[in-house]
Amino acid sequence: MSRIRLHPSGRTVDCRDGETVLSALEQAGYALPNNCRAGACGECKVKVLEGQFDQGMVLDMALSRAERKDGYGLMCMAKPISDELVIEFGTADAKPKLFPPRENAPFVVTDRIPRTPRIVELRLRPLGQPLRYWPGQYVMLGDASAGAPPRCYSIANAPRPDGEIVLQVTRVDGGPTSNWIHDRLDVGATVRLSGPYGTFIGDPSVDSPVLCMAAGSGLAPILALTDAALRRGYRPPVTLLFSASTMADVYERGLLSYWQARHRNFKVQVTLTREPREGGLTGRIPAILPGLFPDLSGHAVFIAGSPAFVEGCAAAARALGAREDQIHSEGYVSQHIPEAPPPERLMAGALA
């Protein structure tokens, strides 16, 4: 048995003989960016400050010889061989350290998929180095020369080895950027993203039941968070409440059904606000929440949607005992864009 010490917090994690650092961290509830888990992508690259480890077989493109000389290792393959391994991890309270944003990173639109009558999904691949981000964060997309000032859109997928970023954009009446995306942005076009931004990532050391509430394209950051949590083996119950006007506005049903079938701890429930349906939930989430979760005092709560939706759900969660420090919301996003009109819609998941 070895001990992994996290710097600068000083917190420690036990690591069984033959276990990788990444696995030990995840078992202890700490999140470390990762994708391939096979030493090929470099996403879990961390600097080792003290101690020895067996790096195993990794690709030079994922961990260069210069990086190895400087003490870096890939934690998906690294196994401690000394009593203690000290690694750089997060901040003084052991929470994730945010990645520095990049400006105008070039991406190509590889696909666009209509998800609902008002939501289109963009799939973007990087032309250079992928953007490193935490699930739940957002990027800025626009083209000022086309009359589409940069706006904020939450990333709808967890990080992938190929760097693909998925955005789900709601058409906003009179919104120049959302209408440019819906009507004029074609597959094959090169766009530029800036980011990542935002702190809608929660505390990865929390090991409690999770309740996610989303409406419209506010589902995007919830999808990324859920994908990452289920992929790393999060065990406590995870429930997603998705609010939509009608069934035509409910999207990603296939993916959500797959997660529910594959992961016994994941459950999705849809409630409709403008279309009754037999045997299903109807009504706004704040109104139906007490009947579903009478006590939220032990839950971590994540909310994403319009400002009014976020405020209503947060108030309902507080009334049911949710602790303030466990309520994470993606609501207003303030931004200053020189020589551009102010955002006509400030909300989670998608800004016009």
Side-chain angles (χ1 to χ4, degrees):
M1 179 79 72
S2 298
R3 181 174 59 248
I4 302 168
R5 184 176 298 277
L6 312 181
H7 177 81
S9 69
R11 297 187 186 183
T12 60
V13 171
D14 289 334
C15 185
R16 299 186 300 270
D17 292 341
E19 185 177 22
T20 66
V21 174
L22 175 61
S23 175
L25 290 173
E26 291 179 335
Q27 292 297 319
Y30 292 99
L32 182 69
N34 68 90
N35 278 309
C36 69
R37 305 180 78 91
C41 72
E43 188 70 15
C44 63
K45 191 180 305 174
V46 165
K47 188 168 188 177
V48 177
L49 303 177
E50 296 179 26
Q52 290 78 46
F53 61 98
D54 177 2
Q55 178 58 89
M57 295 293 293
V58 300
L59 300 182
D60 286 344
M61 63 178 290
L63 184 69
S64 69
R65 296 187 182 280
E67 288 171 328
R68 299 180 202 214
K69 186 176 180 180
D70 289 339
Y72 287 90
L74 300 186
M75 298 301 101
C76 68
M77 301 294 286
K79 299 176 181 178
I81 55 176
S82 57
D83 292 338
E84 183 172 87
L85 198 69
V86 181
I87 65 172
E88 285 188 345
F89 187 95
T91 58
D93 56 5
K95 290 186 178 180
K97 185 181 294 183
L98 300 181
F99 299 112
R102 288 164 50 194
E103 293 186 0
N104 299 317
F107 280 72
V108 170
V109 180
T110 58
D111 202 358
R112 48 179 294 137
I113 306 168
R115 289 299 187 187
T116 75
R118 297 186 67 84
I119 296 176
V120 66
E121 178 174 291
L122 300 180
R123 293 181 175 266
L124 311 170
R125 292 284 183 94
L127 288 175
Q129 287 293 319
L131 283 182
R132 300 191 71 189
Y133 65 93
W134 286 98
Q137 290 191 291
Y138 63 89
V139 293
M140 297 187 70
L141 167 65
D143 185 348
S145 66
R151 294 291 185 257
C152 304
Y153 298 99
S154 291
I155 302 171
N157 62 306
R160 295 171 30 136
D162 60 13
E164 180 177 76
I165 283 181
V166 177
L167 304 179
Q168 295 167 344
V169 181
T170 300
R171 182 190 291 275
V172 177
D173 295 334
T177 305
S178 67
N179 285 310
W180 166 71
I181 289 171
H182 275 255
D183 298 334
R184 296 158 56 194
L185 186 58
D186 294 325
V187 169
T190 298
V191 297
R192 296 189 177 274
L193 302 183
S194 296
Y197 305 108
T199 57
F200 186 57
I201 58 178
D203 184 349
S205 65
V206 170
D207 189 22
S208 62
V210 174
L211 171 62
C212 300
M213 295 178 276
S217 55
L219 182 62
I222 298 296
L223 289 174
L225 287 164
T226 304
D227 183 17
L230 295 177
R231 200 191 299 173
R232 72 181 177 91
Y234 194 78
R235 291 186 176 85
V238 178
T239 302
L240 167 59
L241 293 181
F242 184 41
S243 177
S245 297
T246 69
M247 281 304 296
D249 300 304
V250 180
Y251 69 102
E252 291 288 16
R253 280 183 277 178
L255 177 62
L256 295 174
S257 295
Y258 168 75
W259 284 345
Q260 188 166 249
R262 183 176 176 82
H263 303 279
R264 293 184 178 181
N265 63 322
F266 177 72
K267 182 179 182 181
V268 59
Q269 293 181 278
V270 173
T271 181
L272 304 181
T273 60
R274 296 183 183 177
E275 180 181 272
R277 59 178 180 139
E278 187 176 350
L281 295 174
T282 57
R284 300 187 181 280
I285 288 179
I288 67 173
L289 193 60
L292 300 173
F293 292 89
D295 182 5
L296 287 174
S297 58
H299 281 68
V301 179
F302 293 82
I303 312 168
S306 70
F309 175 84
V310 169
E311 291 170 10
C313 290
R318 292 188 196 99
L320 296 171
R323 301 199 330 258
E324 195 66 40
D325 64 343
Q326 288 303 309
I327 299 177
H328 311 277
S329 62
E330 180 76 308
Y332 287 103
V333 179
S334 62
Q335 54 182 304
H336 173 66
I337 306 174
E339 300 181 5
E344 59 280 89
R345 186 183 187 189
L346 293 172
M347 61 171 285
L351 301 184

